Amino acid sequence: MVTPHPLPVKVLFDQRIPMRDGVTLAADIYLPLNRPLERRPVVLLRTPYMRMTANRIELAYDFVKQGYTFVCVDVRGRGDSDGTFTPYFQDGQDGYDTIEWCAVQPWSNGNIGTLGASYDGRIQWLAALERPPHLKAMIVLVTPSDPFVETPTGLPSPMHLCWLHFVSGRMLQPMNVVNWEQIYEHLPLDTMDEQIGRFIHSWKKEIEHPQLDDYWQPICYQSRFELIDVPVLHISGWYDDEQIGTPLNYIGMTTRGASAETRSSQRLLMGPWGHNSNQGAKIGEVDFGKQAIINMRGEQLRWYDRWLKDEPSEISAPVTIFIMGSNIWRDEQEWPLARTQWTPYYLHSDGRANSRFGDGLLSLHKPAASQKPDTYRYNPAQAVPFITDPTSAQIGGPDDYASLQRRDDLLVYETEPLTEEIEVTGPIRVQLYAASSAQDTDFMAMLIDVWPNGFRQRLCDGMVRARFREGMDHPDLIEPSQIYLYTIDCWNTAQVFKPGHRICLQISSSAFPKYDRNLNTGAPLGRTSEMMTADQVIYHDREHPSALILPIIPALTVK
């Protein structure tokens, strides 16, 4: 048996970092091997996903050999750290204490940069709100948003329970021992955790607070960018299932950051990736080419060299995005792009837009004075599926919705085949005039690229819950049969629709299990099992011009 050669780093294992309440957190400190102790800038990663993994060791080595001290910490209540793990609620103050502890250690020069993805990204924002003096730069990847931004339903996604199981206790739990598809079907939601054999306190608490109230305020950061005075490299992918937060955070920091210098010290990098960024050129059946994979470590090192070492570095333009369809990278100066032409594509039909075999049409022409509305019946017991693997590791992708669009309980509107390419890059939204027989219901919208061979590639999607049409802090049931205007945020994309392709909009009332099923009763959320069917009416006439609003990017002219 060959013994692997150890990496040329020295590790100080299980160092204890004191928090202000007496709890200590476990940290591993990575230093250069066989060199005198020296003060270096620090890259700090805090995680609930175990600090000692092969990937983190390789990460540590990369930074140490480039002149940094690397510190990896188990968050409170996870791994070897003391205390109780309550996702997010103590990570702001713990982050401050950890950053300031690192700043005064003999292996630190006081310049601290934080790094991390997903949970490890969001807790960087919570720590930055505490304004630690020695926090000099952040790199946040695939970062979750504030409560209800990703799931504006008042409830956690059923698939969130998979993640809560994964991080239960102190060690990572196996996900493949649970039949998740069966679990997601369980009602009421507030006892779903018990079906997997666990009582999960966080799951119960989230269902106890089905609107944006004081309970959630300690872990909200997206309304408080004016308190954050840190250069940030924002990284995500168009198919990241938490993608919505990264462009919003970039916009927030460039417009509301604490100082002019900070507002100009932000960078956005968006690739053709899922939640596990930069891990492959192919997602599902779509191959974005070898150029989709970049030197991510090089991007990170250039950022830290600039802000932690004050060294000149070749930082690219403020915004670098991958344009799918053309499969090219492009530098931009802002997000959304200043040259965007916000273009409404209006919904049309003769009242038979059900399924992809119906008569639904998307057109630049406004609807006529009278046009038959479209109708469908939403039955929560037979919800429209959202195509995804059963665990929460990656929710959805560029999946083919051709088979699913055979259903009559969804509507399909699409353009004629395009005669020239159209680039759609930016935030996508739908203005939908709709009525329901229910007191509360959902409306989902999905943007799809229909290929000439029939492949129907999901690009992005979003939803609105009727009771939260005025905001997540203001629930209000609707009047049955009354027409309301709903605005649906479908997140962001960057896609060139090629000649022969069609632009397609899918409308439904469920996307399960990405979102919990609205039971249509108007009852308190998450606590009941009774269901009702809802008869939905989508209007698209002169008085009710339902439309898909696309950010069209005009072709650049070559001088």
Side-chain angles (χ1 to χ4, degrees):
M1 180 177 177
V2 177
T3 302
H5 186 73
L7 292 172
V9 296
K10 175 182 178 181
V11 186
L12 306 179
F13 293 104
D14 198 21
Q15 304 298 292
R16 308 308 296 188
I17 304 178
M19 300 294 102
R20 65 192 66 182
D21 62 355
V23 165
T24 65
L25 306 186
D28 294 332
I29 319 297
Y30 293 81
L31 304 167
L33 186 66
N34 298 326
R35 292 182 59 176
L37 189 65
E38 58 184 325
R39 295 187 180 275
R40 293 175 155 210
V42 175
V43 174
L44 168 65
L45 189 152
R46 299 182 298 133
T47 183
Y49 302 123
M50 304 297 100
R51 72 187 191 278
M52 181 58 70
T53 66
N55 287 341
R56 301 203 204 291
I57 294 169
E58 291 288 345
L59 183 68
Y61 170 65
D62 286 347
F63 283 110
V64 169
K65 74 178 182 179
Q66 295 298 328
Y68 295 90
T69 297
F70 188 82
V71 179
C72 197
V73 182
D74 290 329
V75 299
R76 178 183 294 246
R78 296 287 294 155
D80 294 320
S81 289
D82 298 335
T84 301
F85 179 60
T86 303
Y88 299 117
F89 277 87
Q90 293 167 299
D91 286 311
Q93 289 187 351
D94 285 357
Y96 179 102
D97 293 349
T98 301
I99 290 166
E100 293 307 300
W101 179 86
C102 288
V104 298
Q105 300 308 305
W107 33 257
S108 168
N109 70 0
N111 290 334
I112 314 300
T114 55
L115 173 68
S118 195
Y119 188 102
D120 308 350
R122 185 175 178 185
I123 63 176
Q124 292 181 67
W125 290 108
L126 298 176
L129 287 175
E130 303 291 325
R131 302 175 72 88
H134 292 91
L135 177 60
K136 304 300 182 183
M138 293 161 50
I139 299 178
V140 290
L141 301 93
V142 296
T143 306
S145 294
D146 284 352
F148 308 126
V149 174
E150 292 156 24
T151 52
T153 63
L155 293 170
S157 163
M159 300 187 76
H160 179 58
L161 182 61
C162 177
W163 180 81
L164 288 174
H165 162 74
F166 183 55
V167 294
S168 291
R170 292 192 168 272
M171 307 301 291
L172 296 176
Q173 306 298 318
M175 290 192 286
N176 59 3
V177 298
V178 177
N179 184 340
W180 291 107
E181 292 171 326
Q182 182 181 47
I183 293 296
Y184 298 149
E185 294 282 349
H186 174 79
L187 292 172
L189 257 67
D190 65 353
T191 58
M192 186 182 285
D193 58 330
E194 297 165 33
Q195 302 306 303
I196 63 173
R198 289 188 182 278
F199 181 96
I200 301 179
H201 180 72
S202 294
W203 178 257
K204 307 288 191 188
K205 291 294 290 185
E206 291 185 33
I207 293 175
E208 287 176 12
H209 295 273
Q211 68 182 79
L212 196 58
D213 57 19
D214 289 343
Y215 171 79
W216 296 107
Q217 288 307 313
I219 62 171
C220 290
Y221 69 91
Q222 290 175 311
S223 61
R224 296 190 279 173
F225 290 120
E226 65 277 2
L227 298 177
I228 299 175
D229 204 9
V230 183
V232 183
L233 172 55
H234 312 251
I235 302 173
S236 185
W238 301 123
Y239 285 104
D240 171 21
D241 50 59
E242 295 183 304
Q243 172 243 92
I244 186 174
T246 297
L248 286 177
N249 294 345
Y250 177 79
I251 293 169
M253 286 298 294
T254 54
T255 59
R256 293 165 26 228
S259 67
E261 181 181 5
T262 288
R263 292 191 291 274
S264 65
S265 302
Q266 307 294 312
R267 183 159 185 255
L268 176 65
L269 175 62
M270 298 290 295
W273 310 314
H275 193 60
N276 197 359
S277 289
N278 202 43
Q279 294 300 303
K282 188 175 182 180
I283 307 178
E285 298 179 49
V286 180
D287 191 335
F288 297 103
K290 62 182 181 180
Q291 64 274 13
I293 306 303
I294 64 172
N295 181 5
M296 184 68 79
R297 191 73 69 244
E299 295 282 349
Q300 295 169 347
L301 283 165
R302 282 191 291 274
W303 190 254
Y304 286 141
D305 288 347
R306 169 65 182 86
W307 298 109
L308 301 184
K309 293 182 178 180
D310 198 24
E311 293 181 356
S313 59
E314 295 181 5
I315 301 295
S316 300
V319 174
T320 301
I321 54 178
F322 188 91
I323 310 300
M324 300 182 295
S326 293
N327 292 348
I328 59 171
W329 288 96
R330 196 169 69 210
D331 288 340
E332 297 287 351
Q333 295 302 311
E334 70 285 303
W335 182 269
L337 309 188
R339 64 185 184 280
T340 301
Q341 297 175 353
W342 300 100
T343 306
Y345 279 73
Y346 296 98
L347 279 59
H348 299 269
S349 80
D350 195 29
R352 300 186 304 276
N354 309 77
S355 85
R356 63 183 171 92
F357 305 111
D359 65 352
L361 176 68
L362 282 180
S363 168
L364 295 172
H365 300 294
K366 290 185 177 180
S370 61
Q371 202 173 96
K372 289 183 180 179
D374 289 299
T375 63
Y376 64 94
R377 175 164 289 183
Y378 161 49
N379 181 355
Q382 298 174 338
V384 174
F386 181 85
I387 300 173
T388 185
D389 290 335
T391 73
S392 60
Q394 170 66 38
I395 303 175
D399 302 297
D400 184 1
Y401 274 74
S403 295
L404 193 145
Q405 285 189 345
R406 291 176 173 273
R407 297 173 62 118
D408 285 336
D409 56 351
L410 55 78
L411 307 177
V412 177
Y413 304 88
E414 56 191 44
T415 65
E416 297 293 339
L418 301 178
T419 57
E420 58 185 23
E421 67 179 36
I422 295 177
E423 180 183 333
V424 175
T425 295
I428 310 298
R429 72 180 189 275
V430 172
Q431 302 276 46
L432 193 70
Y433 290 89
S436 176
S437 62
Q439 290 183 288
D440 187 32
T441 195
D442 292 347
F443 293 102
M444 275 70 178
M446 181 181 293
L447 177 64
I448 290 172
D449 182 343
V450 181
W451 297 21
N453 64 4
F455 182 78
R456 290 176 172 254
Q457 176 189 349
R458 168 187 169 259
L459 296 174
C460 56
D461 60 277
M463 62 86 65
V464 62
R465 180 150 288 177
R467 73 171 72 193
F468 293 118
R469 66 196 179 279
E470 302 295 337
M472 295 306 304
D473 59 346
H474 186 67
D476 183 31
L477 298 179
I478 59 175
E479 292 291 332
S481 301
Q482 181 171 323
I483 301 174
Y484 294 88
L485 173 60
Y486 298 98
T487 299
I488 304 177
D489 185 339
C490 293
W491 301 20
N492 307 268
T493 195
Q495 176 82 0
V496 171
F497 291 81
K498 295 291 189 177
H501 290 229
R502 299 172 186 252
I503 301 171
C504 173
L505 174 67
Q506 174 181 301
I507 298 293
S508 65
S509 286
S510 49
F512 184 73
K514 181 179 181 180
Y515 303 107
D516 71 282
R517 295 165 290 174
N518 196 318
L519 304 185
N520 297 327
T521 64
L525 295 172
R527 300 182 176 279
T528 63
S529 302
E530 180 186 358
M531 300 181 185
M532 293 175 53
T533 58
D535 292 314
Q536 319 289 51
V537 185
I538 306 301
Y539 293 85
H540 41 77
D541 53 44
R542 183 175 297 170
E543 292 185 7
H544 309 99
S546 295
L548 165 66
I549 313 298
L550 293 181
I552 303 296
I553 307 302
L556 295 174
T557 57
V558 179
K559 294 183 179 180

